[in-house]
Amino acid sequence: MAPSRRDIQLTRITGHSLGSSDAENEEMEGVRLLDSYDDDEENAHFLSKIEGGSGDSGLKKIQVGITGMTCAACSNAVEGALMSVSGVFKASVALLQNRADVVFDPKLIKEEDIKEAIEDAGFEAEILADPVTAGTKTTLVGQFTVGGMTCAACVNSVEGILKDLPGVKRAVVALATSLGEVEYDPNIINKDDIITAIEDAGFEGSLVQSNQQDKLLLRVDGVLNELDAQVLEGILTRLNGVRQFRVDSLSGELDVVFDPEVVNSRTLVDDIEGEGYGKFKLRAMSPYERLTSKDTGEASKMFRRFICSLSLAIPLFCIQVICPYIAALNNVLVWRCGPFMMSDWFKWGLVSIIQFVIGKRFYVAAWRALRNGSTNMDVLVALGTSASYFYSVGALLYGAVTGFWSPTYFDASAMLITFVLLGKYLESLAKGKTSDAMKKLVQLTPATAVLLIEGKGEKFVGEREIDALLIQPGDSLKVVPGGKIPADGVVVWGSSYVNESMVTGESVPVSKEVGSPVIGGTINTHGALHIKATKVGSDAVLSQIISLVETAQMSKAPIQQFADYVASIFVPVVVTLSLITLVGWSIAGAVGGYPEEWIPENGTHFVFSLMFSISVVVIACPCALGLATPTAVMVATGVGATNGVLIKGGDALEKAHKLKYIIFDKTGTLTQGKATVTTAKVFSEMDRGEFLTLVGSAEASSEHPLAKAIVDYASQFHSTDKSAEDGKESQNSGWLLDTSDFSALPGKGIQCLVNNKMILVGNRKLMSENSITIPDHVDKFVGELEEGARTGVIIAYSGELVGVMGIADPLKREAPMVVELLRRMGVRSIMVTGDNWRTARAVAKEVGIEDVRAEVMPAGKAEVVRSLQKDGSTVGMVGDGINDSPALAAADVGMAIGAGTDVAIEAADYVLMRNNLEDVIIAIDLSRKTLTRIRMNYVFAMAYNVVSIPIAAGVFFPLLRVQLPPWAAGACMALSSVSVVCSSLLLRRYKKPSLNTIMANE
């Protein structure tokens, strides 16, 4: 039964359409959070200049979309960069909305200058439409399968067609995955229009998934005939909240678009099964499951075509080679039936089926490619096989008319198509292996989960098994020992150890107790747990990891540009060489340039030349070049994800191998980020308890790691006489004093009022600015702390220095080894920190770093990056992805380390899931090995074409007397792309480097 369809209207996901109140709230939020407060008169002055200004005072206002901002420091950096541009009158950056409002004089600067200023600050920028209408524009991002692509020329053709469609903002197509990602405006174009454009280009297209949140894909058991399908449609029509649906009884799939405000996915499934009185059994499907089945189906389809072609080619081979030696069969074959012998009829019939039925796909793809002004491998195959086939038909007809029987080459056409199909089948199998890492990530999530049913009084009265894809935020779930955790959440009952290695790469099981966060897809190893789901669907950690890997696999490395250029000219060059070969050998034969015995029996100079020409056409292979980069990138990103290193794109993967400098933040990067107070000394008549009370009360309002260490230390001091059952909050409430006028001073410390007296907690600079005298013996004590790699914190109260605290943050165990490994790899390590020089030098000495930059403000770290980039060097930055975001964005390669569950860090190019510096080595080493593999792929692909085309053209025939038949040329062509994919698959054997292996390679 043909599938019944309803048009599915995709929901908007960006640029929300706002009502007037919402729009006002959004605008006021931007003003409240990020804009400077201007008086009404000044705002009126702006508006008069922008809207009604004329003459020399006319100003213009634009909105700029900014990508890469992660914190207020980023927005400040962008705002500062904009205000430094001559001609910019006002700049206001909204972090939450990822945009900037810029007022400028168009007579002094252009919009492009503003965009470049933002990009120079380390962020990506895009000029947006007029702010008045921008809010009404929406975009969706859809992922489409593009079946039938064979080389980079196909990719270029599809990308060009998609980008030319009205309403399409962006289009990226990946050959290795046969996927295309399209960002489009659903008000202008819909998914069906995009699929139609793909199919009109000569390829197979379908929607895999989009970033809308209210669509559910289900597998339906129980739809046996058209009547069942009608019953199911009737149920869906009656259900509240269902907007559109599509039932496909052939595949047993059901697509439902629903209103999440009316009904959730689990309730929807329950209602359908309930209305059907148990006839229908529904199972939620992941979009990746559909994608995997399509990959398997494509390989199966290619295999069936190959088997059909082979089953016809084998009789053809027997007629040509074996039957002449069997008298009975030979007598039948030489029997003349009409103008031709029976052997000619058999060969013509068999090859016609292979050529036009099985090989129809080559003609269709070649015609559509040519119609769209592009060329690909299908054009070459169609040309080569058609030349062989139609020459053979012509030779038969010519013999029937004139009696002069020239040799036919039907077998060349049949064997060529058979070998090409074999190559395509092997290639599809090999390409499927490149996505094994992605498939393993998808399979981490369990298929089902145990939902705890709550009764009165929040007590559980039962449990039921549900699809893991139907879990909702807030659900209580039971996880048995040995079971997989079905969703991100928080432990609400029980304790256990959880193996998180499959997600974070951390090999040691992590202890979990009440209040501990858990990650979906990890394994509960010991006790039973009850968890409350917090993040599901696209918000889950595993989904974000998969999304990052998928985005990286979709992206193109810069080195791919070479293959794209070669692909654009490859087929015309090959066809030209083929014609030169045909004309050259024909002319040489006509003028007696080679002896007549070279020509086959009953052959002619033209036939002799034509076979060389056909071999040139079919042996040349653009596929190997097109697959060289994307397959390697795909395998590498999967290997990286398996090792806890998430790579955001081919560009980042390529740049990392050229790193000359790598900058490390100190706190939380080189150190463990677990600061502890080691010393607390009072230099006044104040007793120790009073001193710690003052300092703890002042630092309680700060979020700095050192502040947390001080508060914990003071809290421990005051809780020594309390019972172990008292919570921290109750402990704190008994001794903390009220504070006012709190102010955090970046790079210096904090200040506030306690008991109406000013307290200062910070470094020497803070004391100096507030005229606090530091006695020599105190300064010496602080110096000793700093030389011991501890941070000295000075405390002054009511204008007098009262004490000093020493805080230590232990180095990570692997830090010295990583720095040494980088040195041996030719990468120079630099430490940049906001800490004082003595502490910085002490830490650097302990870790083995010679180049130190201390007392650097967060914005100054980006300046350090840019200063190192001035000579063209490639600079990397390793930080925690929060305070270091300006530097991460400015660096050529930004690495956010210790991200844990926060995998969506926009500023970084690499996300290192484990809090382990060894992953920096993995990232660089994997980049180098990947680029080496890509270069090897290119060398092989280029060498193959450079060597094989002259052989096929007969350049060496006068010396070797060996002619490469077209079918053998086709076999070589088919195997070339398979060999390149297999070469990329060798990256799956990647192993982490060690100091011994790097020393051995020096």
Side-chain angles (χ1 to χ4, degrees):
M1 185 187 82
S4 61
R5 297 177 179 269
R6 291 188 179 185
D7 291 332
I8 297 179
Q9 179 62 45
L10 301 179
T11 56
R12 305 168 188 171
I13 49 87
T14 61
H16 305 281
S17 297
L18 299 171
S20 59
S21 61
D22 290 337
E24 290 170 6
N25 290 337
E26 182 186 63
E27 182 179 353
M28 287 307 298
E29 181 182 22
V31 171
R32 182 175 65 253
L33 293 177
L34 298 161
D35 289 354
S36 58
Y37 223 98
D38 299 320
D39 57 33
D40 294 339
E41 182 179 350
E42 185 177 1
N43 285 332
H45 183 56
F46 279 148
L47 291 174
S48 66
K49 283 191 172 185
I50 298 168
E51 298 174 0
S54 59
D56 295 337
S57 62
L59 297 177
K60 184 178 180 181
K61 181 179 179 180
I62 62 169
Q63 278 192 348
V64 186
I66 304 171
T67 303
M69 296 191 300
T70 57
C71 62
C74 297
S75 59
N76 293 337
V78 174
E79 193 165 313
L82 289 170
M83 292 303 297
S84 65
V85 178
S86 177
V88 172
F89 195 73
K90 185 188 177 203
S92 175
V93 181
L95 174 64
L96 301 181
Q97 287 76 33
N98 288 313
R99 68 179 183 225
D101 290 337
V102 185
V103 181
F104 66 99
D105 189 342
K107 295 182 179 180
L108 298 178
I109 60 170
K110 300 178 180 178
E111 293 181 0
E112 194 63 28
D113 297 328
I114 295 173
K115 179 181 177 184
E116 289 179 1
I118 297 174
E119 291 174 345
D120 289 342
F123 303 89
E124 296 180 6
E126 178 187 4
I127 305 298
L128 301 178
D130 186 89
V132 176
T133 60
T136 63
K137 293 191 176 181
T138 61
T139 59
L140 286 172
V141 177
Q143 194 177 74
F144 298 82
T145 58
V146 185
M149 295 189 298
T150 56
C151 60
C154 300
V155 174
N156 295 339
S157 175
V158 176
E159 277 189 353
I161 290 168
L162 291 175
K163 288 177 180 177
D164 290 338
L165 293 175
V168 171
K169 310 293 184 183
R170 178 177 61 86
V172 180
V173 178
L175 176 62
T177 58
S178 295
L179 289 176
E181 188 172 279
V182 184
E183 182 181 0
Y184 61 99
D185 186 344
N187 296 319
I188 301 175
I189 188 172
N190 60 39
K191 65 179 182 64
D192 293 326
D193 296 330
I194 295 173
I195 293 172
T196 300
I198 295 172
E199 291 174 345
D200 287 344
F203 304 93
E204 299 174 0
S206 63
L207 177 67
V208 178
Q209 63 178 347
S210 72
N211 53 355
Q212 58 182 342
Q213 297 299 311
D214 58 353
K215 182 176 180 180
L216 186 61
L217 175 62
L218 300 167
R219 174 79 68 184
V220 185
D221 294 330
V223 180
L224 304 177
N225 50 47
E226 186 175 352
L227 181 60
D228 291 336
Q230 291 175 355
V231 172
L232 181 59
E233 289 176 3
I235 293 173
L236 290 166
T237 304
R238 293 192 300 270
L239 291 179
N240 291 331
V242 175
R243 294 174 180 168
Q244 291 90 26
F245 59 85
R246 181 182 69 86
V247 181
D248 189 341
S249 59
L250 296 178
S251 62
E253 293 181 0
L254 169 64
D255 289 334
V256 182
V257 177
F258 61 95
D259 186 345
E261 297 297 322
V262 177
V263 63
N264 63 47
S265 57
R266 187 166 68 243
T267 303
L268 179 63
V269 171
D270 291 343
D271 289 347
I272 295 173
E273 291 182 343
E275 289 285 333
Y277 299 102
K279 177 173 179 56
F280 304 115
K281 182 64 178 176
L282 278 65
R283 179 178 65 84
M285 291 177 60
S286 165
Y288 301 100
E289 185 179 344
R290 173 186 276 181
L291 189 60
T292 301
S293 64
K294 284 183 177 292
D295 289 341
T296 305
E298 180 66 24
S300 299
K301 186 189 297 183
M302 200 62 66
F303 180 72
R304 287 195 298 270
R305 286 175 176 167
F306 164 67
I307 292 299
C308 290
S309 181
L310 182 65
S311 63
L312 297 175
I314 289 176
L316 194 66
F317 175 80
C318 293
I319 292 171
Q320 187 83 12
V321 177
I322 299 175
C323 291
Y325 298 97
I326 302 175
L329 293 176
N330 188 53
N331 291 334
V332 174
L333 294 177
V334 298
W335 177 58
R336 187 168 295 276
C337 180
F340 311 123
M341 291 188 296
M342 285 301 298
S343 61
D344 295 326
W345 284 114
F346 281 134
K347 286 189 287 186
W348 191 357
L350 291 172
V351 174
S352 295
I353 297 174
I354 295 174
Q355 184 77 28
F356 300 112
V357 178
I358 299 174
K360 177 184 175 182
R361 64 178 299 274
F362 297 114
Y363 283 103
V364 173
W367 163 246
R368 288 182 174 173
L370 293 172
R371 189 181 64 185
N372 288 291
S374 62
T375 53
N376 55 22
M377 189 207 73
D378 296 309
V379 174
L380 296 179
V381 174
L383 278 176
T385 57
S386 296
S388 177
Y389 176 84
F390 287 111
Y391 163 77
S392 299
V393 172
L396 281 179
L397 296 177
Y398 183 78
V401 174
T402 65
F404 178 78
W405 299 95
S406 299
T408 59
Y409 295 91
F410 284 122
D411 59 319
S413 172
M415 297 301 290
L416 176 56
I417 290 177
T418 302
F419 277 115
V420 170
L421 290 174
L422 172 62
K424 287 298 161 191
Y425 169 64
L426 295 176
E427 183 183 318
S428 63
L429 290 180
K431 284 182 0 186
K433 295 289 185 182
T434 63
S435 59
D436 277 354
M438 173 72 81
K439 293 172 184 175
K440 289 178 182 177
L441 286 172
V442 173
Q443 292 167 359
L444 287 179
T445 304
T448 61
V450 177
L451 175 69
L452 297 172
I453 303 172
E454 292 186 11
K456 294 182 179 180
E458 298 185 353
K459 292 184 178 179
F460 300 124
V461 297
E463 58 185 50
R464 57 174 288 205
E465 188 175 72
I466 62 171
D467 283 341
L469 293 172
L470 301 179
I471 296 173
Q472 303 295 318
D475 283 348
S476 295
L477 306 168
K478 178 181 177 181
V479 186
V480 298
K484 289 184 178 181
I485 294 174
D488 293 1
V490 177
V491 177
V492 295
W493 178 87
S495 62
S496 181
Y497 283 87
V498 174
N499 181 359
E500 298 181 343
S501 61
M502 62 289 299
V503 175
T504 65
E506 198 70 59
S507 58
V508 180
V510 181
S511 174
K512 300 293 180 181
E513 54 189 19
V514 174
S516 299
V518 291
I519 304 173
T522 55
I523 299 176
N524 178 27
T525 58
H526 288 82
L529 294 175
H530 290 180
I531 68 170
K532 178 160 284 187
T534 56
K535 295 180 179 179
V536 299
S538 60
D539 294 329
V541 170
L542 189 58
S543 294
Q544 293 184 42
I545 293 174
I546 293 171
S547 178
L548 281 175
V549 175
E550 196 173 47
T551 300
Q553 294 178 347
M554 289 289 297
S555 65
K556 288 185 179 181
I559 197 172
Q560 176 71 19
Q561 295 173 0
F562 168 74
D564 291 343
Y565 170 73
V566 173
S568 65
I569 63 172
F570 190 88
V571 173
V573 169
V574 169
V575 172
T576 302
L577 291 175
S578 175
L579 292 174
I580 292 174
T581 301
L582 176 63
V583 173
W585 278 103
S586 297
I587 294 175
V591 300
Y594 52 83
E596 293 294 325
E597 55 264 25
W598 287 7
I599 301 176
E601 184 180 355
N602 295 329
T604 64
H605 294 294
F606 174 76
V607 175
F608 183 63
S609 305
L610 181 63
M611 290 301 102
F612 284 120
S613 178
I614 293 174
S615 294
V616 170
V617 169
V618 298
I619 202 169
C621 182
C623 300
L625 277 171
L627 291 169
T629 298
T631 52
V633 169
M634 191 168 185
V635 176
T637 51
V639 168
T642 303
N643 287 278
V645 177
L646 304 183
I647 308 166
K648 287 196 174 181
D651 189 18
L653 185 64
E654 181 174 340
K655 284 182 178 178
H657 89 284
K658 299 185 294 184
L659 280 175
K660 182 177 180 181
Y661 300 100
I662 190 158
I663 299 172
F664 289 97
D665 176 46
K666 180 177 75 71
T667 306
T669 302
L670 290 173
T671 64
Q672 295 179 11
K674 299 176 181 177
T676 56
V677 176
T678 60
T679 305
K681 189 167 185 179
V682 183
F683 289 97
S684 67
E685 297 180 358
M686 187 182 297
D687 65 53
R688 186 180 182 85
E690 183 182 0
F691 170 72
L692 292 177
T693 300
L694 286 171
V695 181
S697 300
E699 290 286 15
S701 299
S702 175
E703 296 181 355
H704 196 281
L706 299 186
K708 184 178 183 300
I710 291 173
V711 174
D712 288 345
Y713 184 79
S715 177
Q716 185 178 9
F717 175 84
H718 284 287
S719 63
T720 52
D721 58 343
K722 292 183 178 288
S723 64
E725 289 80 13
D726 287 343
K728 185 176 178 180
E729 184 176 348
S730 64
Q731 297 169 13
N732 289 347
S733 62
W735 61 269
L736 281 178
L737 302 175
D738 292 335
T739 61
S740 60
D741 295 342
F742 177 87
S743 178
L745 307 171
K748 302 173 187 176
I750 62 103
Q751 66 180 28
C752 65
L753 293 178
V754 178
N755 296 329
N756 293 322
K757 294 181 181 180
M758 179 65 71
I759 182 171
L760 304 172
V761 184
N763 55 22
R764 291 183 179 86
K765 184 182 291 185
L766 180 63
M767 301 299 132
S768 176
E769 290 180 355
N770 288 273
S771 302
I772 303 296
T773 302
I774 303 177
D776 291 341
H777 67 286
V778 176
D779 189 65
K780 180 180 179 182
F781 179 75
V782 174
E784 290 173 352
L785 290 175
E786 293 170 345
E787 289 172 358
R790 288 175 287 179
T791 300
V793 179
I794 306 171
I795 299 93
Y797 181 62
S798 189
E800 294 183 2
L801 190 149
V802 295
V804 173
M805 302 184 80
I807 301 178
D809 188 1
L811 278 178
K812 290 179 178 176
R813 173 188 53 80
E814 73 278 3
M817 181 193 68
V818 169
V819 171
E820 175 63 17
L821 283 171
L822 288 170
R823 187 187 68 79
R824 293 180 177 273
M825 294 170 72
V827 181
R828 181 178 173 185
S829 299
I830 300 172
M831 188 179 80
V832 178
T833 178
D835 213 336
N836 64 80
W837 277 99
R838 285 181 178 175
T839 302
R841 288 195 182 102
V843 171
K845 182 178 180 181
E846 190 173 349
V847 82
I849 294 178
E850 298 177 357
D851 193 342
V852 183
R853 317 288 172 92
E855 299 179 7
V856 179
M857 299 292 186
K861 294 179 181 179
E863 292 299 325
V864 174
V865 171
R866 283 188 279 271
S867 68
L868 295 171
Q869 291 171 330
K870 287 181 179 178
D871 63 352
S873 299
T874 303
V875 180
M877 172 70 193
V878 184
D880 57 16
I882 302 172
N883 294 330
D884 303 312
S885 56
L888 287 169
D892 298 294
V893 179
M895 300 183 187
I897 190 170
T901 59
D902 184 15
V903 300
I905 299 178
E906 293 293 336
D909 302 298
Y910 285 76
V911 177
L912 312 182
M913 293 293 293
R914 302 184 303 165
N915 193 15
N916 193 319
L917 287 173
E918 292 177 2
D919 291 347
V920 176
I921 302 295
I922 294 175
I924 298 173
D925 186 63
L926 181 59
S927 170
R928 292 182 175 183
K929 284 184 168 55
T930 303
L931 265 292
T932 300
R933 181 61 55 184
I934 290 174
R935 292 192 183 103
M936 289 175 61
N937 288 348
Y938 275 140
V939 168
F940 176 81
M942 291 298 295
Y944 164 80
N945 285 290
V946 168
V947 173
S948 62
I949 291 177
I951 293 175
V955 171
F956 303 105
F957 184 82
L959 297 176
L960 304 176
R961 298 291 193 276
V962 175
Q963 183 179 14
L964 192 66
W967 65 266
C972 293
M973 182 269 288
L975 293 176
S976 66
S977 56
V978 176
S979 59
V980 166
V981 177
C982 292
S983 171
S984 295
L985 286 174
L986 292 176
L987 285 170
R988 297 167 64 192
R989 301 167 62 185
Y990 174 81
K991 293 183 179 179
K992 300 178 183 180
S994 64
L995 182 60
N996 292 333
T997 57
I998 291 178
M999 291 177 64
N1001 293 331
E1002 283 188 330

